[in-house]
Amino acid sequence: MNKSYYTCLFGGEAGYGVMSAGSIIAKGANRSGLWSFVVNEYPSLIQGGLNSCLVRLSDKPITAYEETIDFLGLFSQQAFDCYADKLNPGAIVLYDATTTKIDATKVPEGTLLCPVALASSIPKGGAKIMINSAMLGAFAAFTGYPKQILIDVMKTEFHNEKIQQENIQILDEVYHLVMETLSSSKTFPFPFEPKAEPKMLINGNEAISIAAIKAGCKFSAGYPMTPGSSVLSYLADHGAEYGLVFKQAEDEIAAINMLIGASFAGTRAIGSTSGGGFALMVEALGFAAQAEIPLVMVNAQRGGPSTGLPTRTAQADLNFVVHASQGEFPRIVLAPGDIEECFYETFRIFNLADTYQVPCIILTDKFLADSSVSQLPFATESLTIERGKLFEAKEQPYLRYENTPDGISARAIPGQVGGRHIATSYTHGEDGFYSSGNKEYALNEPMVTVNSMDKLYNKLPAMEKEIPAIKFYGPPNADLTIIAWGSTKGAILEAMELAASQNISVNFLQILYISPFPITATELVLQQAKKTLLIEGNKTAQLGSILRANTGHKTDYTFLKYNSRAFLPSEILAKIKEVLF
């Protein structure tokens, strides 16, 4: 068999270990020289509903997923009804006939239907979640995926030795049952390397959390909101090892004000939420801007408006985040497109926040936040922490908001001798005093107001020069230039590979930092573009409107997807062909 990818999907209600089954297979592949991409889907329910875990495996790095399935492991009837039409010809369907009825007319010709008594393999009194160990045993037997690799992963997953042994025994017994009584197809196409360099299986939120710790972040606060919550839970679970304090606040408003307070006190801090929580934070966002207090926030987008689709993906908060809060002020908005950018750019954005003393927002989405990918260890040797301009006691009198050519004034930490100042949300002069609160300032209010606003915006030239705002992929003289941001990156890159294999010439302009918008760098690319295609996960082409406002360029074509699922390489390739031919 000559396959580039092999895709497994496990589906069933919560409580059957659907996610764990997929995760164990992916981790085993990671340790054996293969690469994996894991996509979890689940409804916004406390219990029940259809959960699925898709694992795409390959012998080369993977940046996206496809919905077509080579192995379907069913824990419920609903899973079959939902995924039967996604099966590739020759796929394996593994199910327990006591819980799932298979309609053979709904699967492609050549599908191998494999009934196994999964539920009866659980010992009397055993937890129903153990059924995933039975599923894994049958999976190994049918596909040829090495059983011992799965067992080795299970030994590290279960810390309770009794539970570990019980699950391994179930896996082993079902494996031998299948091998002795049923035909095994051995369809798994890739060789395993027992001594391969191990890789991490890591998602976007984990990469952001690790980067925050590496950047010296010592405080985090938040109120849980999917899909941003897992940044908070990671830092709550692991932060103490690195001297990080985590506080679950009573709501999002309290959380962001705690973050601002920590930063005002000189401590690097990060918060994480989703669109609804970010909406509650915007007044404080403006406070951080007016008081010039560094702030790092994560907004992991989900479907909206309002509560919308709490556990599904979207790219529809862009305009909101770029313009959030009353008044106007510069901010930095980063839209990482993959795991490496989640890590390295999060580390960088802490430095940018301190250097420019502005609010910084990391704009991801559920797909990037929640999908796990094989990743080699990050190279951290060259990463350095930069705290920006800091006050030195010899500088007197101290003007916290001194008008400097680059708009950046030295920060004093509370308690620092000679550094007394006022941090206020009111428009203020160089010393921080309120512009109309006393007679002297009232007389100069128009001038103070203009100077204060100009000071904020004087930071822009240096920001635009320093920030690595775009990335460009592909041949410079391609027939089509794709423009996109965020998590669509992986699917676009794979679609470009597919296009190149068919002699179709495409390049890709990734807008990595959307605010301040990289006008000059973008215009240079657009000047060379023959045709442009905008790809976004929203209804109204939000990046397109920002692009047009800043450069005057209206893309020739758009491809918008807002059905709660991420882009697939195959559908992007189809759109490329539609545009070019």
Side-chain angles (χ1 to χ4, degrees):
M1 180 181 291
N2 183 22
K3 286 180 69 70
S4 299
Y5 304 99
Y6 190 87
T7 300
C8 319
L9 188 140
F10 299 93
E13 289 188 4
Y16 286 95
V18 173
M19 311 301 185
S20 298
S23 174
I24 288 172
I25 289 171
K27 289 179 179 177
N30 270 7
R31 298 177 186 185
S32 309
L34 301 181
W35 300 78
S36 56
F37 196 102
V38 181
V39 180
N40 294 317
E41 292 290 355
Y42 45 90
S44 177
L45 298 172
I46 300 299
Q47 188 173 8
L50 177 59
N51 288 239
S52 70
C53 179
L54 181 148
V55 186
R56 195 183 195 203
L57 301 165
S58 179
D59 57 358
K60 63 180 183 179
I62 310 175
T63 61
Y65 81 111
E66 289 285 357
E67 290 181 335
T68 52
I69 301 166
D70 298 302
F71 176 91
L72 178 59
L74 299 172
F75 293 97
S76 73
Q77 183 68 46
Q78 187 182 8
F80 173 76
D81 296 339
C82 186
Y83 295 109
D85 65 346
K86 309 290 186 186
L87 293 168
N88 281 323
I92 296 172
V93 178
L94 177 60
Y95 62 102
D96 189 324
T98 62
T99 60
T100 306
K101 305 302 179 187
I102 300 297
D103 182 348
T105 64
K106 294 185 176 180
V107 302
E109 186 176 351
T111 301
L112 183 60
L113 301 176
C114 306
V116 177
L118 300 173
S120 62
S121 66
I122 301 174
K124 188 176 182 180
K128 69 176 184 180
I129 196 173
M130 288 179 168
I131 199 170
N132 67 358
S133 296
M135 176 67 81
L136 288 172
F139 164 78
F142 279 116
T143 65
Y145 188 108
K147 176 191 70 172
Q148 190 57 46
I149 289 178
L150 299 175
I151 291 175
D152 290 343
V153 176
M154 291 175 75
K155 287 179 180 176
T156 60
E157 294 290 295
F158 297 102
H159 300 297
N160 182 304
E161 187 171 351
K162 179 174 180 293
I163 294 175
Q164 176 195 117
Q165 290 306 313
E166 287 176 345
N167 280 277
I168 290 174
Q169 183 176 348
I170 292 171
L171 183 152
D172 198 50
E173 288 178 354
V174 173
Y175 175 83
H176 286 290
L177 173 68
V178 171
M179 293 295 288
E180 293 166 2
T181 59
L182 299 170
S183 299
S184 177
S185 63
K186 303 289 186 184
T187 57
F188 195 82
F190 306 116
F192 291 84
E193 300 176 28
K195 296 181 180 180
E197 181 182 11
K199 298 180 280 291
M200 299 182 286
L201 185 65
I202 186 171
N203 64 39
N205 276 357
E206 290 168 340
I208 288 171
S209 304
I210 294 170
I213 292 172
K214 184 65 181 176
C217 178
K218 297 298 182 186
F219 182 75
S220 178
Y223 187 80
M225 191 169 195
T226 304
S229 301
S230 54
V231 171
L232 306 177
S233 58
Y234 187 95
L235 294 174
D237 290 342
H238 302 282
E241 302 170 40
Y242 304 95
L244 182 147
V245 174
F246 173 77
K247 170 68 175 176
Q248 178 166 324
E250 62 267 36
D251 57 35
E252 286 86 349
I253 298 172
I256 192 171
N257 282 296
M258 290 178 185
L259 297 168
I260 293 170
S263 185
F264 176 64
T267 298
R268 284 190 163 182
I270 189 170
S272 180
T273 185
S274 188
F278 193 79
L280 295 170
M281 296 177 168
V282 295
E283 184 178 3
L285 188 77
F287 174 36
Q290 184 73 291
E292 299 187 52
I293 297 173
L295 176 67
V296 177
M297 281 298 309
V298 179
N299 180 352
Q301 300 166 95
R302 65 190 205 183
S306 189
T307 305
L309 295 159
T311 60
R312 308 301 185 192
T313 200
Q315 287 187 305
D317 289 354
L318 179 59
N319 278 333
F320 170 50
V321 166
V322 168
H323 300 292
S325 192
Q326 68 273 40
E328 53 189 351
F329 54 85
R331 71 198 70 191
I332 295 173
V333 177
L334 159 69
D338 57 26
I339 297 299
E340 290 200 344
E341 288 170 358
C342 283
F343 178 80
Y344 291 112
E345 298 304 327
T346 294
F347 184 93
R348 187 195 305 271
I349 212 167
F350 273 97
N351 286 347
L352 294 173
D354 273 351
T355 298
Y356 296 102
Q357 302 169 24
V358 295
C360 296
I361 301 139
I362 303 168
L363 188 60
T364 67
D365 55 46
K366 186 268 175 187
F367 180 66
L368 180 58
D370 211 22
S371 299
S372 297
V373 184
S374 301
Q375 173 67 48
L376 293 170
F378 299 117
T380 60
E381 297 78 10
S382 62
L383 300 179
T384 56
I385 293 174
E386 300 165 5
R387 298 304 307 262
K389 290 183 183 178
L390 297 174
F391 166 71
E392 295 182 11
K394 62 184 180 182
E395 300 170 359
Q396 292 296 329
Y398 175 54
L399 296 174
R400 169 65 184 93
Y401 302 105
E402 180 181 9
N403 280 317
T404 61
D406 62 4
I408 304 167
S409 42
R411 294 173 63 201
I413 305 304
Q416 196 171 355
V417 175
R420 186 177 64 175
H421 66 279
I422 294 175
T424 175
S425 62
Y426 283 102
T427 297
H428 50 262
E430 290 181 283
D431 53 6
F433 279 99
Y434 168 37
S435 62
S436 57
N438 68 29
K439 186 176 180 180
E440 178 185 355
Y441 279 90
L443 291 172
N444 297 301
E445 185 175 79
M447 182 184 68
V448 170
T449 302
V450 170
N451 288 342
S452 175
M453 186 58 66
D454 286 346
K455 179 182 185 303
L456 296 181
Y457 278 87
N458 284 342
K459 300 174 183 179
L460 278 178
M463 289 167 62
E464 291 169 347
K465 185 176 180 181
E466 178 180 354
I467 294 173
I470 68 164
K471 289 188 176 179
F472 183 80
Y473 302 88
N477 57 348
D479 295 328
L480 179 69
T481 297
I482 294 174
I483 303 169
W485 60 284
S487 68
T488 57
K489 175 182 179 179
I492 291 170
L493 292 177
E494 186 172 324
M496 288 172 62
E497 285 185 24
L498 296 171
S501 69
Q502 299 174 35
N503 296 319
I504 302 172
S505 179
V506 181
N507 58 33
F508 169 34
L509 169 62
Q510 179 195 2
I511 309 295
L512 180 58
Y513 283 80
I514 301 176
S515 179
F517 191 81
I519 298 173
T520 302
T522 301
E523 285 180 333
L524 287 173
V525 174
L526 294 176
Q527 287 167 5
Q528 304 298 318
K530 298 177 182 175
K531 293 180 180 177
T532 52
L533 169 64
L534 178 74
I535 297 180
E536 290 191 69
N538 57 58
K539 169 73 175 175
T540 56
Q542 295 187 20
L543 177 63
S545 65
I546 294 173
L547 177 72
R548 193 171 186 179
N550 284 278
T551 68
H553 180 87
K554 183 179 186 300
T555 56
D556 299 311
Y557 305 92
T558 58
F559 184 21
L560 307 176
K561 186 175 182 179
Y562 41 91
N563 69 348
S564 77
R565 298 298 193 270
F567 282 95
L568 306 176
S570 56
E571 60 190 7
I572 292 175
L573 177 64
K575 186 66 180 181
I576 291 171
K577 291 180 177 179
E578 176 188 322
V579 167
L580 290 178
F581 306 113

